[in-house]
Amino acid sequence: MGIGGSILLIVVGAILTFGLDDTDLGPFNLDTIGWIFQLAGLFGLLLTLYFWNTRRRTVVRQVPPPPPAGGTVIPPSADEVIEQRRTY
């Protein structure tokens, strides 16, 4: 649904619940419909935020190449490791 749709449902539900004086529209009670819209919007907002926070995150570690042949081989230290965090 997304954040925008969730906020729209919450706003429309609040208008139906608190903003109207005549709450009976034939067999429909606008207060009840407003509360249902607000709860659906809140549920959609929480679900959207949950899925946004659990997206896959990838850590790429790059170790610099060893020095050319013939030189002294020094193992890479922890300072030479480059980490990149990518979110997809």
Side-chain angles (χ1 to χ4, degrees):
M1 177 184 319
I3 293 177
S6 300
I7 291 175
L8 179 70
L9 274 179
I10 292 171
V11 168
V12 169
I15 290 172
L16 290 176
T17 304
F18 305 116
L20 299 177
D21 290 333
D22 189 18
T23 59
D24 288 329
L25 185 65
F28 302 109
N29 186 350
L30 293 181
D31 282 342
T32 305
I33 295 173
W35 282 111
I36 291 171
F37 278 4
Q38 289 181 60
L39 290 176
L42 181 64
F43 179 73
L45 183 65
L46 293 176
L47 198 63
T48 300
L49 292 176
Y50 171 75
F51 280 115
W52 271 21
N53 287 332
T54 58
R55 291 184 295 175
R56 184 189 326 172
R57 292 184 175 92
T58 305
V59 176
V60 178
R61 299 189 80 205
Q62 297 175 346
V63 179
T72 349
V73 178
I74 301 173
S77 66
D79 297 336
E80 296 175 354
V81 175
I82 302 169
E83 288 191 9
Q84 297 176 345
R85 296 193 181 268
R86 297 180 184 167
T87 304
Y88 298 101

